[in-house]
């Protein structure tokens, strides 16, 4: 009789322990009380859970992740030329005459920019007779020289790491279609002053070059590599 009572007591104790454990788990387990959502897109849905307690010790929380932030920076590209005239003065046979302009670039192009210079005549042209030219060709039976030259200033306008700029044109001009590259850079750069590149025209007359006025027009083209 005593053994039977002991067994019943043990059985009751076991059931009580299981019941308490079960109740304890359900009473204190996190409970979803809501959902974090994005309007019109269920892929962002995530639970908002409550820890099951009240008062200052209780709390509920949840997260919605991967909300996208976007922005756009519009491209910019500017070129400034210091003056509209390159005056070579009076040409003396066998002596180089030069004239220059300064050019400034400002751009946020990720891969920098370049400048080309194109002679619109292809040479210096006699203003009274366009068959007479100052260049290294002998179409008019007299070979002279007409060259484009460029060089960078010592100080760069860019603070971007790895920035470099090159200007090393030194070419005879005898075409009105050739785009002669006079400057290149590889990163964004500020427009600060007018001093990225010095562009120079060199001309040399021959003792037989006919006396008269000569001129050319130059087109400068800037290209940003965004």
């Amino acid at each position: 009789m005593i053994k039977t009572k002991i067994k019943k007591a043990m059985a009751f104790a076991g059931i009580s322990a299981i019941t308490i454990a079960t109740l304890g788990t359900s009473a204190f387990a996190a409970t979803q009380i809501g959902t974090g959502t994005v309007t019109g897109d269920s892929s962002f849905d995530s639970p908002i859970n409550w820890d099951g307690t009240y008062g200052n010790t209780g709390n509920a929380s949840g997260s919605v992740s991967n909300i996208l932030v976007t922005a756009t920076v519009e491209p910019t590209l500017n070129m400034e030329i210091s003056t509209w005239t390159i005056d070579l003065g009076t040409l003396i046979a066998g002596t180089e005459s030069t004239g220059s302009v300064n050019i400034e670039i400002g751009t946020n192009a990720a891969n920098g920019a370049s400048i080309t210079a194109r002679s619109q005549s292809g040479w210096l042209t006699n203003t009274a007779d366009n068959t007479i030219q100052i260049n290294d060709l002998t179409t008019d039976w007299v070979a002279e020289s007409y060259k484009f030259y460029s060089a960078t200033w010592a100080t760069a306008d860019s603070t971007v790491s790895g920035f470099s700029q090159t200007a090393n044109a030194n070419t005879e001009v005898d075409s009105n279609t050739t785009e002669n590259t006079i400057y290149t850079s590889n990163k964004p750069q500020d427009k600060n002053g007018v001093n990225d590149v010095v562009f120079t025209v060199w001309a040399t007359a021959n003792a037989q070059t006919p006396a008269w006025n000569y001129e050319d027009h130059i087109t400068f083209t800037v290209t940003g590599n965004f």
Side-chain angles (χ1 to χ4, degrees):
M1 186 69 172
I2 293 173
K3 289 182 179 180
T4 300
K5 289 181 178 181
I6 293 173
K7 287 180 179 180
K8 287 181 178 179
M10 291 176 63
F12 177 76
I15 292 170
S16 298
I18 293 171
T19 301
I20 291 171
T22 302
L23 290 173
T25 300
S26 62
F28 297 103
T31 302
Q32 183 174 348
I33 61 172
T35 304
T37 63
V38 172
T39 302
D41 191 339
S42 62
S43 66
F44 288 91
D45 290 2
S46 57
I48 296 177
N49 294 324
W50 173 50
D51 65 3
T53 61
Y54 292 95
N56 292 334
T57 60
N59 67 81
S61 66
S63 301
V64 175
S65 299
N66 298 322
I67 299 301
L68 178 64
V69 178
T70 65
T72 300
V73 176
E74 294 293 337
T76 61
L77 179 61
N78 296 286
M79 175 173 64
E80 182 177 351
I81 300 171
S82 60
T83 184
W84 65 276
T85 303
I86 299 174
D87 186 2
L88 302 180
T90 300
L91 303 185
I92 300 172
T95 300
E96 288 183 339
S97 295
T98 65
S100 301
V101 294
N102 297 326
I103 305 175
E104 174 74 11
I105 296 298
T107 184
N108 61 1
N111 299 299
S114 62
I115 307 172
T116 61
R118 177 177 58 83
S119 166
Q120 293 178 209
S121 300
W123 35 69
L124 279 174
T125 302
N126 186 301
T127 59
D129 183 351
N130 62 15
T131 66
I132 300 174
Q133 307 119 18
I134 294 177
N135 56 28
D136 63 339
L137 303 178
T138 56
T139 305
D140 58 359
W141 308 106
V142 179
E144 300 101 348
S145 180
Y146 182 52
K147 298 172 66 175
F148 288 171
Y149 175 83
S150 65
T152 57
W153 284 62
T155 302
D157 292 331
S158 177
T159 60
V160 179
S161 177
F163 175 82
S164 65
Q165 56 184 2
T166 302
N168 54 7
N170 186 0
T171 183
E172 287 283 349
V173 178
D174 52 25
S175 167
N176 63 359
T177 61
T178 300
E179 297 286 348
N180 301 281
T181 300
I182 63 169
Y183 177 85
T184 59
S185 65
N186 67 337
K187 302 284 184 179
Q189 61 196 97
D190 194 14
K191 186 174 182 295
N192 182 18
V194 186
N195 56 10
D196 284 336
V197 55
V198 181
F199 173 79
T200 304
V201 176
W202 295 13
T204 305
N206 184 288
Q208 301 177 88
T209 301
W212 201 256
N213 295 320
Y214 291 77
E215 67 179 29
D216 184 24
H217 292 84
I218 299 172
T219 296
F220 294 97
T221 301
V222 62
T223 302
N225 303 307
F226 290 93

